[in-house]
Amino acid sequence: MYRSHNCGELTSTDINKEVTLAGWVQKIRDKGFIVWVDLRDRYGITQLVFDEERTSKTLIEQAQNLGREFVVQVKGTVIERASKNPNIPTGDIELLVSELNILNEAKLPPFTIEDKTDGGEDIRMKYRYLDIRRNPVKNSLIFRHKVTQEVRNYLSKEGFIEVETPYLIKSTPEGARDFVVPSRMNEGQFYALPQSPQTFKQLLMVGGMDKYFQIVKCFRDEDLRADRQPEFTQIDCEMAFIEQEDILNAFEGLTRHLLKEINGIEVEKFPRMLYDDAMRLYGNDKPDIRFGMEFGELNAVAQHKDFKVFNSAELVVGIAVPGGNSYTRKEIDKLIDWVKRPQIGALGMVYCRCNDDGSFKSSVDKFYDQDDLAKWAEATGAKPGDLICVLSGDKNKVRTQLSALRMELAERLGLRKPDEFAPLWVMDFPLLEWDDETNRYHAMHHPFTAPKPEQIELLKTDPGAVKANAYDLVLNGNEIGGGSIRIHDKETQALMFDYLGFTPEEAKAQFGFLMDAFQYGAPPHGGLAFGLDRLVAILGGQETIRDFIAFPKNNAGRDVMIDAPAPIDDEQLNELSLKLNLKQ
C-alpha cells in the first residue's frame, strides 16, 4: 500500500506506531541539523521530521532537496510533537521519518497552494487542478458532494425515482439559445443540448413514473455573470396527480431538510408573496427579505409641486436607509455617482435627511416643505436618523435601479449576513411577456406552464393580464428554484402555442411528440427545478458559484485550462458537412 493512514488522522493515540503516508509537499523548513516537512493530502497535513540525531545523513539530504508539491511516500514512527499546533487535528504529533520515496517531482507552481493564495482568478482557472488542492476549493467541492447526497437521500425516501434523460435532443425554443451538435450520420441535421429536461420529465409523468428527480447537466448559450455558467446543474423534479400546494409542501420539506442537515438551522416559515407585490415592494422577483428597506411609492405626495423631474415620471419611489443620516455629503454624492453608472442607468438621485429632532433636510427643499417631506418619511417608513433615497422615471426601469441600490446599501451596511437564511415563495407570475423586438408575446417561463384555471378565458381578450400557475423559491435574494403546474391537455397546449405565435405546423414540428403523448391520458402534473450550483453556494455562505464547480468556465464561456471552445480542422468540418462563414 502507498499509505496506511491519511495525513489528517494521526493523533496522540497513535504515538509509537509505525505508519506509511503519501501526499504532496506543502512546506519545508530547513535548519541544517533538522528538517521539517509539511505533508498534505485531501484529509489534512502531517508534519514530518528529519533529525540528524535520529535520521541518517543521506535521508536528511533527500529531505533538503525536496521541492514544493513533490509527491512523496514516507515511512516512520509517530512521535509527540515538541511544539504543538492546536490549529490542525494532527498538531500533537509528528512523524519521525525512516524512509523517503519520491514518487513524482513537481515544477514550481505558478501560485502558492495556500488558503490565501497569491494567484489571481485567471491564473488559478488556467491551473485549476492545482487550485483544487487549496482548502477553500477542495472544501467547496466536498460541501457540494454533501449537499447532493442529502438531496438524493431525502427525495428517495419521499418516493422519488431518479431517471436519466438524454443529452442529445431536439432544439426547442425555451428562452435561451441552444448549444447545437451536428450529426455525422444524419447529414445536415443537428441535435441540441438540453436547456432543461422539461419535455422528458413531462413524458415520464405520462409514462406513470409519478415522482421523478434527476441531478442533471443543462446547457444555455447565454451571456454570463458570476452566478451563471453555460453548463450548470439542476435538481430537476416532477410529480403527477398534484396541485400547486403539494409541490410547495414537498420542496419546502427538502429545503428545510438541507438547512437543518447542512447548516444546523431550523426554518419553519416559508412566506409567500405575489409577483406583483415583489415588484412593487422590492423591484425584483427574488427579493432578499433578511432586511427591510421596502419601497415607498411617492407619486401621490411628490407630484403636486413644480419639480418637473418628478411630475414627468411614471413612478417616483424611495427607500429609507437605516442610520443613513450619518452619511456625509461626500458619501451621498458617491451614492449618486453609483446609481448614475451605466450598469444602473439612473439620471440622478434625490435624498432627504431625517434628523433626530423630527425635521427634514432634502436636496429639493426649494420645492418641498416639511409637511411634504414628512409624507415621504411616512410612505417609506423612515425614522429619525434615516436617509430617504428617491429615484424616478419609467416604472420598470426605476424599480430595477432602486432594487440594485437597495442591495448595494444592504451590502455596505452588513445586512446580508451569509449565516442567516430567509426563504420565500414568489407566486403568480405573468404567463406571458411582450417583446417589442419580435412584436409578440413570449412565455415568461416556458410554453408548458399552465395558466391559472380561472383565467384561461382571459387569453382571448387580455393575454398580458393572465397569471401563470408558477412559483419561484427564493433564498437570501437568489432564485434557487422555480417551477409550475404544467398544461396536461392537448387543447390548452395548442391554445398556448397559438398565443406564442406558433402556427399549427410549427407547433407540430417542434412539439408534436408531446402533443401526441397528451392524447394517451396525461395526468395533471407539475414540478420544480433547483439550481444546484447556486443552492450549494448560498448554503455555503457565498454568492458566486465558481468555487463549487470543479472545472468552471470564465465570463466569456471559455475553459481556459483546456482552451475550449476551439476550432476543428477541415477534415472534421467536411465529415460533418459544415462550412464556416465567419464575419471578418
Side-chain angles (χ1 to χ4, degrees):
M1 294 187 296
Y2 276 106
R3 57 189 179 187
S4 61
H5 296 76
N6 65 55
C7 292
E9 69 175 303
L10 295 172
T11 67
S12 57
T13 60
D14 298 299
I15 288 174
N16 295 324
K17 280 186 181 177
E18 297 291 322
V19 302
T20 304
L21 302 180
W24 288 265
V25 172
Q26 172 85 14
K27 190 181 296 182
I28 305 164
R29 297 179 296 285
D30 183 1
K31 297 292 185 181
F33 61 91
I34 189 169
V35 178
W36 291 280
V37 175
D38 286 349
L39 189 67
R40 181 195 72 241
D41 63 10
R42 187 190 111 187
Y43 307 95
I45 289 175
T46 296
Q47 180 170 281
L48 314 179
V49 61
F50 301 80
D51 182 348
E52 67 177 12
E53 293 183 2
R54 296 172 289 183
T55 308
S56 70
K57 184 177 180 181
T58 302
L59 201 53
I60 287 182
E61 288 176 353
Q62 266 189 292
Q64 290 171 328
N65 288 321
L66 291 174
R68 278 168 43 200
E69 301 306 312
F70 275 36
V71 185
V72 303
Q73 180 194 49
V74 294
K75 296 180 181 180
T77 305
V78 181
I79 63 174
E80 185 175 4
R81 186 165 169 168
S83 179
K84 295 181 171 56
N85 182 354
N87 298 317
I88 58 174
T90 61
D92 289 344
I93 60 93
E94 58 190 358
L95 188 70
L96 179 61
V97 178
S98 58
E99 182 179 331
L100 167 64
N101 298 309
I102 296 175
L103 303 177
N104 216 333
E105 295 185 356
K107 289 175 63 177
L108 187 69
F111 54 88
T112 54
I113 313 297
E114 301 277 358
D115 290 4
K116 292 184 179 179
T117 182
D118 55 359
E121 186 174 37
D122 289 343
I123 193 75
R124 288 189 291 109
M125 288 187 71
K126 181 174 176 62
Y127 296 93
R128 183 63 167 180
Y129 44 85
L130 297 179
D131 202 27
I132 290 172
R133 294 180 190 174
R134 295 174 51 244
N135 283 327
V137 181
K138 176 196 73 176
N139 291 338
S140 292
L141 295 180
I142 294 171
F143 184 82
R144 181 187 178 111
H145 163 75
K146 184 178 178 182
V147 173
T148 56
Q149 290 301 101
E150 288 294 339
V151 169
R152 279 197 165 93
N153 292 340
Y154 181 87
L155 291 175
S156 296
K157 288 177 183 176
E158 291 295 312
F160 285 80
I161 305 299
E162 186 167 11
V163 183
E164 292 184 35
T165 54
Y167 279 169
L168 296 176
I169 66 167
K170 186 177 188 178
S171 180
T172 58
E174 290 189 45
R177 293 181 181 89
D178 287 328
F179 284 102
V180 295
V181 181
S183 171
R184 179 185 59 81
M185 293 183 292
N186 299 275
E187 189 174 332
Q189 295 184 316
F190 297 82
Y191 298 106
L193 301 179
Q195 295 183 32
S196 78
Q198 181 61 46
T199 53
F200 287 101
K201 65 183 179 182
Q202 292 191 252
L203 292 171
L204 286 169
M205 296 303 101
V206 177
M209 290 306 296
D210 196 68
K211 286 183 174 183
Y212 140 93
F213 86 98
Q214 183 181 191
I215 297 178
V216 58
K217 282 286 186 187
C218 301
F219 308 86
R220 292 178 188 172
D221 189 5
E222 58 186 349
D223 294 336
L224 305 180
R225 55 177 187 250
D227 62 344
R228 184 180 288 171
Q229 289 273 302
E231 54 178 318
F232 57 97
T233 307
Q234 284 186 350
I235 308 166
D236 198 54
C237 307
E238 198 80 0
M239 302 168 70
F241 299 110
I242 45 81
E243 295 179 336
Q244 180 174 279
E245 197 66 26
D246 300 304
I247 299 282
L248 303 188
N249 289 334
F251 297 107
E252 276 185 25
L254 173 58
T255 308
R256 192 177 285 113
H257 173 80
L258 291 175
L259 286 168
K260 181 179 179 181
E261 294 300 318
I262 302 297
N263 298 89
I265 291 174
E266 298 271 6
V267 176
E268 292 302 325
K269 292 185 178 180
F270 281 66
R272 298 181 184 185
M273 183 181 297
L274 297 177
Y275 168 87
D276 290 343
D277 289 338
M279 298 304 295
R280 177 177 57 84
L281 294 172
Y282 299 98
N284 69 62
D285 58 6
K286 48 182 185 298
D288 191 336
I289 59 171
R290 286 176 293 180
F291 56 95
M293 286 198 281
E294 292 182 356
F295 291 9
E297 296 189 356
L298 304 175
N299 290 43
V301 295
Q303 290 185 323
H304 63 295
K305 296 295 179 73
D306 294 330
F307 189 48
K308 293 181 180 178
V309 172
F310 284 177
N311 291 343
S312 62
E314 183 180 7
L315 178 64
V316 183
V317 62
I319 54 173
V321 184
N325 193 30
S326 63
Y327 288 2
T328 64
R329 177 59 191 270
K330 186 176 181 180
E331 287 174 318
I332 293 175
D333 286 344
K334 285 184 177 179
L335 275 184
I336 295 172
D337 291 340
W338 191 89
V339 300
K340 290 168 72 174
R341 296 181 311 147
Q343 301 96 311
I344 308 299
L347 297 177
M349 184 185 85
V350 169
Y351 67 88
C352 175
R353 294 182 179 275
C354 303
N355 297 319
D356 291 339
D357 62 4
S359 65
F360 303 93
K361 177 65 179 173
S362 82
S363 56
V364 287
D365 279 346
K366 178 180 177 181
F367 301 97
Y368 298 95
D369 58 29
Q370 292 291 299
D371 288 341
D372 294 323
L373 299 177
K375 292 175 182 176
W376 292 17
E378 183 180 0
T380 58
K383 298 177 176 61
D386 291 350
L387 178 75
I388 304 172
C389 297
V390 182
L391 301 181
S392 62
D394 174 79
K395 179 175 65 177
N396 292 332
K397 285 184 180 178
V398 78
R399 282 175 172 164
T400 301
Q401 292 161 356
L402 191 60
S403 174
L405 177 60
R406 175 180 179 266
M407 296 295 275
E408 174 67 16
L409 286 165
E411 198 70 46
R412 295 184 185 189
L413 292 167
L415 300 176
R416 304 192 70 208
K417 299 175 182 176
D419 56 350
E420 291 182 8
F421 296 92
L424 170 74
W425 286 109
V426 178
M427 323 282 294
D428 293 5
F429 285 77
L431 181 70
L432 306 168
E433 54 185 346
W434 183 260
D435 181 34
D436 288 328
E437 286 188 19
T438 58
N439 201 37
R440 65 181 178 88
Y441 283 107
H442 289 264
M444 191 164 191
H445 284 82
H446 53 64
F448 317 108
T449 299
K452 289 287 185 181
E454 65 275 14
Q455 294 186 337
I456 290 179
E457 288 302 312
L458 258 182
L459 277 171
K460 300 173 184 176
T461 57
D462 190 6
V466 178
K467 299 295 184 185
N469 215 340
Y471 33 82
D472 278 357
L473 182 55
V474 177
L475 186 62
N476 296 359
N478 293 271
E479 177 199 334
I480 60 166
S484 67
I485 301 300
R486 322 300 187 191
I487 297 169
H488 68 278
D489 64 282
K490 184 178 180 181
E491 291 74 21
T492 305
Q493 189 65 72
L495 184 65
M496 184 66 171
F497 286 145
D498 182 44
Y499 281 102
L500 292 174
F502 289 88
T503 65
E505 293 75 22
E506 288 170 335
K508 177 71 175 174
Q510 292 278 3
F511 302 108
F513 63 94
L514 186 65
M515 304 287 275
D516 290 344
F518 282 176
Q519 297 179 92
Y520 291 94
H525 61 283
L528 180 142
F530 286 89
L532 177 64
D533 311 294
R534 194 175 301 168
L535 172 64
V536 171
I538 294 168
L539 293 176
Q542 298 187 37
E543 291 283 323
T544 57
I545 64 177
R546 278 188 187 151
D547 278 354
F548 295 89
I549 299 172
F551 300 102
K553 309 288 190 291
N554 69 10
N555 283 342
R558 295 196 64 82
D559 186 326
V560 295
M561 182 184 68
I562 63 173
D563 194 24
I568 60 174
D569 60 35
D570 290 341
E571 184 177 342
Q572 283 180 288
L573 288 172
N574 291 333
E575 192 175 38
L576 295 167
S577 304
L578 294 177
K579 185 177 182 180
L580 298 181
N581 182 22
L582 300 176
K583 294 178 182 178
Q584 299 298 320

